[in-house]
Amino acid sequence: MIPRNIINLGVFELEKEISQAVIRRMPRYYRYLGELIDAGVERISSGDLSSRMNVTASQIRQDLNNFGGFGQQGYGYNVKYLYEEIGKILGLCERHSIIILGAGNLGQALANYVDFEKFGFAIIALFDVNPDLKGTKIRGIKIHMLEELDEFTRSHKVDIAALTLPKSKADTVASHLVSLGITAIWNFAHVDLELPDKNVIVENVHLSDSLMQLSYNIVKDKPYQRF
Amino acid sequence: MIPRNIINLGVFELEKEISQAVIRRMPRYYRYLGELIDAGVERISSGDLSSRMNVTASQIRQDLNNFGGFGQQGYGYNVKYLYEEIGKILGLCERHSIIILGAGNLGQALANYVDFEKFGFAIIALFDVNPDLKGTKIRGIKIHMLEELDEFTRSHKVDIAALTLPKSKADTVASHLVSLGITAIWNFAHVDLELPDKNVIVENVHLSDSLMQLSYNIVKDKPYQRF
DNA sequence: TAGATTGTTAATCGATTAACAATC
DNA sequence: TAGATTGTTAATCGATTAACAATC
């Protein structure tokens, strides 16, 4: 039983903070390995994987070795084993319950997204202020009124709160969630949350930012009038 | 009239490829500057902005100076001017038309998202294979059948195609879009697209990857059974 | 054993931060 | 002018790539 970012160096255990650059790539490895399993591939070398994924073999080996030696010299990696180990590293073997704050289009879209369950994420409730939605269900998941939130968090274990509400309400709701003991927020609101507790984990999905990046890449070579 | 990633060095013009790390930060600057405008702030120094944004003042100045000198010694930056210049850099002054492929929950959520218009992005049509949706409108935007796509692209200028469809269909549709002359894809499908043309600009929004990153940060300090 | 491929160290490259002269 | 703050160069830090000994 060792924490997943502690590398055992014989007698010593050295805690290493793994860079977010590495973490960002792990789900992608996981995805490709899943596809290899579906394709019936049993083993793969870092070289093979690197040409499929357009990254260097060096990077793959370095990334994986942050967490341990999962391969075997002269053989490569067992696809299924590596897939499972990355799953464990990413916490996909544990069940994570999610509540969605804001049952608008995006909130409902997330609630309808079945694939999350495959990875251990279960959406257990939505919340909104719109009384028309009261009692409505999305794929069997109930939409509650926001005032029921406190009671709900007392009676249910909530691991993640997804924020799919207007940015004007995001900060207030987020702070309230933190006061209720929520420690992880998946933020779709178009703001950087300002939270009372620095230990809360926030993962942002800023769709407008993403679209602007796309836009930049479209226009970058076109001339523009600066002055 | 100079391309936005060309720095004028007196006699010479040196084309510089600006790193994606910088580009990723530009929309965030833009967002904060927008908030400053709303708050009535007229000028700001890199130092002030850095403490608000939790980045170093050095980084802000370096980032901006990739595109030009927008500030003034002893004064700082004019908020409104800088906001507008970053908008130009990101291509937000030009109109970008978007079509959405896949009118499921996520596609409809995007179509309903009004804020994109503020930045010059206009969603002009959705496409789906589900005949029940034929002729339906989302916020006045018509849902077409997929077989009308070719005709539509011939009669309309399409700058961006958003892919909000199952991953099984993503590659086929994407390749077809490229063959129709689409050069920019905003991909929400849970795959890395394999496109015939390497010049096509792809911006990925992999929600599962994002959720897995969040999950990693939740579980990273917990022990786990590796073997 | 010979060949293949890892795990890991060393070298390189790029991005971030610090420092400061230029200048408003 | 004095103070403030930029633009930019130099120093540092971290991430990526290359190389190769270890080993299956």
Side-chain angles (χ1 to χ4, degrees), chain B residues 96-141:
Chain B
H96 292 282
S97 58
I98 304 180
I99 58 172
I100 296 176
L101 282 294
N105 292 283
L106 187 55
Q108 296 199 17
L110 291 183
N112 269 300
Y113 202 63
V114 187
D115 279 13
F116 295 147
E117 257 148 46
K118 253 184 359 214
F119 306 124
F121 302 99
I123 296 164
I124 58 173
L126 294 98
F127 293 86
D128 206 294
V129 290
N130 180 356
D132 293 351
L133 295 170
K134 184 167 185 171
T136 314
K137 285 187 173 183
I138 310 286
R139 207 165 53 86
I141 307 160

Side-chain angles (χ1 to χ4, degrees), chain A residues 170-183:
Chain A
D171 262 313
T172 316
V173 172
S175 298
H176 186 59
L177 284 163
V178 172
S179 77
L180 294 170
I182 304 284
T183 56

